[in-house]
Amino acid sequence: MLWALRHLLAIGVLPFTMAVAIPVWLARREGIVFQPGPGTIQLFAQALGASLLAIGIVLFLASVRQFATEGRGTLAPWDPPRRLVVRGPYRYVRNPMISGVVFALFGEALLLLSRPHLIWALTFLAINCLYIPLVEEPMLALRFGEDYREYCRQVPRLVPRWRPYDPR
């Protein structure tokens, strides 16, 4: 029970705020509601958006599962994984959780055909492009040492590699 509460708190505070609360607030503030696009291009963009949103959710959930089962921690900085996670989606990309949220945010922008949501997605991406290499990765290198540095040499930060990384 405590395990589930730890994960729900971490998810509620971080990704839920970024991928649900802020986009809902933007939609309400700007009067944006979902409606099918008026033309073929808009409908195609919305279909692409729905696909990106689905990919983002699957990637995010798979990442949370790996953190819980392999890492024995949560996505939250105050309750991080106790072991280095290099399986599941982490075999392809170092930050699948952030990639999942980015996919979801761009998916929402396309699904809603919303410029404010696109700006939010770009802002979130830019913040993480700075935060990850400047703050998160140095802390992980201190915590996990050479294993993490080797993992960084083999697995890209945000764009997945084609073949899975094998830590052996």
Side-chain angles (χ1 to χ4, degrees), residues 19-144:
V20 178
I22 291 173
V24 166
W25 173 77
L26 280 172
R28 287 183 179 160
R29 186 186 81 178
E30 301 292 328
I32 298 167
V33 294
F34 173 76
Q35 53 190 5
T40 305
I41 292 173
Q42 291 89 350
L43 288 172
F44 177 76
Q46 289 178 312
L48 177 61
S51 298
L52 290 176
L53 182 58
I55 290 167
I57 291 168
V58 168
L59 195 53
F60 173 77
L61 292 175
S63 301
V64 169
R65 181 176 178 268
Q66 286 303 125
F67 266 27
T69 58
E70 185 180 345
R72 304 284 188 242
T74 73
L75 60 91
W78 61 84
D79 188 14
R82 285 130 183 92
R83 288 188 263 172
L84 180 61
V85 178
V86 296
R87 296 194 197 324
Y90 291 89
R91 294 177 71 194
Y92 296 91
V93 64
R94 285 198 313 259
N95 296 86
M97 203 171 299
I98 295 298
S99 297
V101 173
V102 168
F103 273 111
L105 292 175
F106 279 100
E108 290 168 351
L110 285 169
L111 197 57
L112 295 171
L113 301 172
S114 167
R115 178 166 289 149
H117 286 82
L118 175 61
I119 292 168
W120 169 236
L122 290 168
T123 301
F124 180 82
L125 178 61
I127 289 167
N128 279 283
C129 283
L130 293 172
Y131 173 79
I132 290 169
L134 296 177
V135 178
E136 183 176 274
E137 289 179 349
M139 290 187 327
L140 291 169
L142 285 173
R143 188 171 343 136
F144 297 116

